[in-house]
Amino acid sequence: MERTGILLGICLGLTSFSILQGSVFGAVLPSIVEEFGVDWSIIGVAMSIWTVISALSPMFFGRFVHRLYPMNSMALVMMMLSIPTILVAFVKDFFSLNVVKIVGSLAAPFSYPLAAKVVEMYVDSRKRGIATAIYNTGSMIGLALGYAVVALAGGYWKRSMTTGGFLGVIYVPVAYILWKSLLESKVQRKLEWNDSQKRSHVSFKRVFSIVLWLSFGHFSAVYTWNLMFNWLSTFLVREIQLGYSFIALVLGIMAVVSSVMEVFVGLWSDRVRGMRGRLIPLYTGLFPSAFLLILSTLSTNPLLTSILMGFSILFWRLSTPSFWAIFGDLIPQEHFEKASSIYVGAVLLSGIASSIMNGYIVSLTGSMKYAILLSAFILILSPIFFTVAGKVGTRI
């Protein structure tokens, strides 16, 4: 139990500090846009290009990353994310910014698949729901930490980027020490997807239909998360005129509450078992989240708007244990690597679409409200797609 806790702590650190790198950038995005004097539509296109690089990265580097020893893979990914974050503070023009962000984008797709793979290798299948919930809280923790870093840095974007990147660098030796001293000598490593494991004898051609519906569901859900993650400060700081300290406080509270609730949902999901236990959190989380997003665009009170947005994020978080848990339940182990590349690719495509659409809408209308409404309507589709994936997977 103690060793499993340490393992999940390492995975949680991986997801939290990986998300932190992007969260800090998203938080100071208005300052960066002002610094380099670019139009919002241009920054939207640039962000979509970075996401295209991320989408292509698993095709060229996925096999190399997944073949490394797990801790080496996690260390490599964290360093490739953190060092470019630090370098952003030293770029002199918009071209250099793009070069640095492209380098960081190469590692962006691997954090969650690596965490999922480690859980698949070391954690009992009966406890994967709660294990997934634990490392999934990293996305909310990382988002809140990003705004906390900016608040503590006084809103200065260069200082914020340096601090965020440095925290990611520190994670690597700490994780190595924990892994080497407390895990490596005591845990008998499971063989990775080899012939000694049970195989389903299902061809990837048959699995592809499941992956396709799962990817539609993941795309629809994460399209909205991209808006919350990359464009939240554009709405709350630039448009609603809220301070970073207040946003950090609200997100910090939400991170604590959502983390507890996510773990509870993951535990409940394991106890219910089956697809029903995975789908109920999606409906109870994503539908209210979409409704709250719509309400936030109708509010004229900055405090009420921030509260509605915060609760929307909170409800969205309730669904997250199901994303990778459903994937793990439906995809045979021998197809995990190939299927996860497609599944993560859907997330990256959602980032491309979200960046282009949000940038265009803000440039055209001068407001984030219409982009938020679009995200809310797309979000409603997510549980429906996951339901179809579950039905297809059950038949196969």
Side-chain angles (χ1 to χ4, degrees):
M1 181 62 70
E2 179 185 354
R3 292 193 292 270
T4 300
I6 294 169
L7 185 70
L8 292 178
I10 292 172
C11 290
L12 175 60
L14 173 68
T15 56
S16 298
F17 288 111
S18 296
I19 293 296
L20 170 65
Q21 309 309 313
S23 175
V24 172
F25 183 83
V28 299
L29 184 60
S31 299
I32 292 176
V33 170
E34 182 179 353
E35 174 82 14
F36 294 109
V38 296
D39 187 80
W40 282 100
S41 61
I42 300 299
I43 196 68
V45 171
M47 292 170 70
S48 69
I49 292 174
W50 308 336
T51 311
V52 169
I53 300 299
S54 294
L56 295 176
S57 181
M59 295 173 55
F60 298 98
F61 305 109
R63 184 173 294 275
F64 170 74
V65 171
H66 283 286
R67 294 302 179 192
L68 292 176
Y69 189 64
M71 189 59 242
N72 293 340
S73 297
M74 291 188 283
L76 174 64
V77 167
M78 185 59 68
M79 294 301 291
M80 287 185 65
L81 288 169
S82 302
I83 292 176
T85 299
I86 296 173
L87 293 178
V88 166
F90 298 94
V91 298
K92 301 299 183 182
D93 51 49
F94 188 59
F95 175 80
S96 301
L97 174 67
N98 278 277
V99 172
V100 171
K101 290 297 294 181
I102 285 172
V103 174
S105 297
L106 293 173
F110 296 110
S111 297
Y112 276 82
L114 284 175
K117 185 175 181 180
V118 169
V119 167
E120 181 76 13
M121 290 171 63
Y122 292 109
V123 178
D124 191 305
S125 61
R126 294 170 296 180
K127 299 179 180 178
R128 284 183 193 150
I130 188 171
T132 302
I134 289 172
Y135 73 72
N136 253 320
T137 61
S139 54
M140 188 64 206
I141 293 172
L143 178 62
L145 280 177
Y147 280 86
V149 166
V150 177
L152 291 173
Y156 295 104
W157 72 271
K158 291 185 178 181
R159 190 185 303 168
S160 300
M161 296 300 295
T162 303
T163 303
F166 185 65
L167 290 173
V169 171
I170 291 176
Y171 161 84
V172 174
V174 173
Y176 254 117
I177 291 171
L178 290 173
W179 186 285
K180 294 286 186 181
S181 62
L182 299 175
L183 286 174
E184 192 172 69
S185 61
K186 300 178 182 179
V187 176
Q188 183 66 39
R189 186 185 181 205
K190 292 183 182 179
L191 294 173
E192 297 185 46
W193 330 132
N194 59 27
D195 292 333
S196 68
Q197 292 177 300
K198 283 187 177 181
R199 291 183 174 269
S200 65
H201 301 294
V202 176
S203 68
F204 186 75
K205 183 178 180 180
R206 297 184 68 188
V207 171
F208 181 75
S209 60
I210 306 174
V211 178
L212 190 63
W213 286 111
L214 288 174
S215 297
F216 286 152
H218 214 187
F219 175 96
S220 302
V222 182
Y223 182 95
T224 300
W225 179 251
N226 279 312
L227 177 136
M228 296 172 176
F229 184 71
N230 289 317
W231 298 83
L232 188 63
S233 66
T234 303
F235 182 59
L236 296 180
V237 177
R238 177 176 175 267
E239 195 164 333
I240 307 300
Q241 300 295 309
L242 293 175
Y244 282 114
S245 297
F246 179 77
I247 298 173
L249 175 62
V250 172
L251 288 178
I253 295 172
M254 290 298 171
V256 174
V257 175
S258 70
S259 296
V260 174
M261 293 180 69
E262 282 180 59
V263 171
F264 174 79
V265 169
L267 183 61
W268 178 87
S269 178
D270 283 335
R271 288 180 176 177
V272 173
R273 302 283 179 87
M275 195 53 55
R276 177 173 172 269
R278 307 304 190 198
L279 291 175
I280 289 176
L282 290 176
Y283 282 94
T284 57
L286 299 185
F287 278 6
S289 177
F291 178 69
L292 289 166
L293 279 177
I294 294 171
L295 288 182
S296 71
T297 65
L298 303 176
S299 170
T300 57
N301 183 292
L303 178 60
L304 178 59
T305 300
S306 63
I307 292 173
L308 289 171
M309 185 67 74
F311 274 102
S312 175
I313 294 173
L314 180 63
F315 274 98
W316 191 95
R317 298 301 312 170
L318 293 181
S319 66
T320 58
S322 295
F323 294 155
W324 281 99
I326 290 176
F327 181 88
D329 288 344
L330 295 179
I331 302 302
Q333 291 180 350
E334 66 266 28
H335 299 308
F336 188 91
E337 185 176 323
K338 187 182 295 185
S340 67
S341 295
I342 298 173
Y343 195 52
V344 173
V347 175
L348 300 173
L349 288 174
S350 74
I352 297 170
S354 178
S355 297
I356 292 176
M357 290 302 300
N358 292 337
Y360 176 75
I361 291 172
V362 173
S363 178
L364 182 66
T365 67
S367 174
M368 277 294 298
K369 291 185 177 181
Y370 300 101
I372 292 173
L373 287 172
L374 176 61
S375 292
F377 289 118
I378 292 175
L379 183 61
I380 293 172
L381 298 174
S382 181
I384 299 171
F385 288 134
F386 275 108
T387 301
V388 175
K391 290 185 179 299
V392 173
T394 302
R395 287 201 302 268
I396 293 180

